[in-house]
Amino acid sequence: KNEVEQSPQNLTAQEGEFITINCSYSVGISALHWLQQHPGGGIVSLFMLSSGKKKHGRLIATINIQEKHSSLHITASHPRDSAVYICAAPLNNNDMRFGAGTRLTVKP
Amino acid sequence: DTAVSQTPKYLVTQMGNDKSIKCEQNLGHDTMYWYKQDSKKFLKIMFSYNNKELIINETVPNRFSPKSPDKAHLNLHINSLELGDSAVYFCASRDSSSYEQYFGPGTRLTVT
């Protein structure tokens, strides 16, 4: 079992749909990092959260520290949201474990 | 201004060669990292440097050596390149006040 598990691995949605990507982790301190990797390859930090919920535009991330679970939601999805979404758990100040990523495709 | 930059973006080379990838961050962060992303897109940490001190060296062959001339730079030098070294290498940096990391654009290394 991976230390950081994401589901689903692949997700295809129609434009406008509400998207949920889940992340469960068994390691790390009480925080979680959500990253986005576009087809061009660059990695962008979306959220770092240690409690509750954070919102940025159409993206919402929630975390339950006790259950070691986090979700990333995308409202009103758009084809430009198509990317790989990766969650990562910091182990300490200098190490992080990554999930395998969720490949999202949003069709127009 | 690019926060974390890497050069080159693409690197094609033959087995046995020695190559370097450069990374620079202008964020004033005190910790920098090198990650390897394999063909399945799985990211794994290779090195972490904090104030010019190597903190982590995961099970990386000693053909790989990070070199940090100053706090803003962490270069990756690879000796005797092998086919299995083909991957995308990402540099990242972090400020000590947060766990959030900022990634460079990646360097796609292809060893033929």
Side-chain angles (χ1 to χ4, degrees):
Chain A
K1 189 173 172 18
N2 289 336
E3 295 166 314
V4 181
E5 294 268 3
Q6 283 185 240
S7 62
Q9 269 189 307
N10 295 285
L11 181 56
T12 300
Q14 286 298 130
E15 184 173 356
E17 285 184 4
F18 181 81
I19 305 289
T20 295
I21 300 170
N22 294 301
C23 178
S24 294
Y25 55 100
S26 58
V27 295
I29 59 171
S30 299
L32 200 83
H33 204 165
W34 280 102
L35 305 163
Q36 179 192 57
Q37 185 170 27
H38 272 286
I43 296 176
V44 174
S45 172
L46 296 176
F47 298 103
M48 171 63 79
L49 67 165
S50 56
S51 66
K53 179 168 81 172
K54 284 190 177 180
K55 185 175 188 293
H56 182 72
R58 293 178 297 104
L59 300 177
I60 304 166
T62 62
I63 190 168
N64 184 319
I65 296 296
Q66 286 74 28
E67 295 185 4
K68 291 187 180 289
H69 182 269
S70 177
S71 294
L72 177 69
H73 305 286
I74 305 175
T75 61
S77 59
H78 190 276
R80 64 174 174 267
D81 297 327
S82 298
V84 176
Y85 292 84
I86 303 167
C87 65
L91 296 190
N92 50 44
N93 284 338
N94 299 297
D95 196 5
M96 193 145 67
R97 292 288 183 262
F98 294 84
T102 295
R103 183 175 298 277
L104 172 65
T105 303
V106 181
K107 295 184 175 180
Chain B
D1 282 344
T2 303
V4 183
S5 59
Q6 291 180 230
T7 53
K9 191 168 183 182
Y10 300 97
L11 181 55
V12 181
T13 187
Q14 291 185 323
M15 282 176 57
N17 285 347
D18 302 339
K19 290 293 178 185
S20 291
I21 306 172
K22 294 185 177 181
C23 177
E24 176 181 2
Q25 53 96 4
N26 62 6
L27 298 167
H29 289 169
D30 50 18
T31 304
M32 295 182 72
Y33 306 82
W34 276 106
Y35 293 96
K36 179 180 181 181
Q37 188 176 44
D38 59 27
S39 57
K40 295 183 179 179
K41 299 290 189 181
F42 202 70
L43 277 161
K44 283 191 175 180
I45 191 167
M46 299 178 72
F47 302 105
S48 166
Y49 248 77
N50 181 291
N51 289 327
K52 301 182 70 173
E53 181 185 355
L54 180 65
I55 302 297
I56 294 173
N57 184 346
E58 291 284 298
T59 53
V60 173
N62 58 14
R63 297 182 295 104
F64 291 78
S65 55
K67 297 191 190 306
S68 181
D70 55 59
K71 203 171 85 164
H73 296 84
L74 182 65
N75 303 324
L76 183 64
H77 190 76
I78 317 168
N79 290 329
S80 304
L81 278 155
E82 299 177 357
L83 292 176
D85 298 333
S86 296
V88 181
Y89 293 84
F90 285 95
C91 175
S93 72
R94 181 184 69 84
D95 183 73
S96 56
S97 64
S98 169
Y99 292 106
E100 187 171 10
Q101 295 188 20
Y102 295 81
F103 286 79
T107 296
R108 182 175 294 278
L109 171 65
T110 303
V111 183
T112 61

